[in-house]
Amino acid sequence: MTSNADIGAMDTLVTLQSCTITRNDQGAKDKTYADFRKVWAKIDHSVDEQVAYRNLEAGHVIYLTIYKVKELDTRWRVIIDGDAWQISAIDDMDRLSPVYRLTLEAINKSKR
C-alpha cells in the first residue's frame, strides 16, 4: 500500500452508516443504523476464494479507499448503489496518510 492517494480516482459517492447497539427487554442486542456521512471513494473489486467443507466458495470482496473518518469502526456499514456492505477491516495506508483502505463484504450474499 502506498500513502499517495489519487483523489481523482475517488469517483464514487458512498454512504457511511453508523451503528448504535441497544438492548431490548429480553436482553438481546439490537443494532440500529443511521446515515452518518456521504463520502467520495475509490472502489477496487476482488473475488475471495476459499475451500470450505471440500467445496470451493467465492465471496465478493470490495476494497474501498476513503479519507479518514475519526469515528469509523467495523460495526458500521457502507451503502454503495443501494447495497449494504459490512466493514471487515480498516487499514491505514501509513501513519501519516489521510486515507484508509476498507475491506468490505456483502451483507446479503444471496444477491451476489
Side-chain angles (χ1 to χ4, degrees), residues 47-91:
V47 176
D48 182 25
E49 294 183 338
Q50 60 188 6
V51 175
Y53 303 106
R54 296 186 180 184
N55 292 317
L56 180 63
E57 295 181 358
H60 190 185
V61 175
I62 287 181
Y63 298 102
L64 199 71
T65 303
I66 64 169
Y67 280 100
K68 290 182 178 178
V69 175
K70 180 177 69 169
E71 300 86 355
L72 186 71
D73 65 36
T74 55
R75 288 181 298 218
W76 287 31
R77 64 185 184 185
V78 179
I79 307 298
I80 304 171
D81 294 330
D83 293 329
W85 295 80
Q86 171 183 327
I87 301 173
S88 60
I90 303 171
D91 297 308

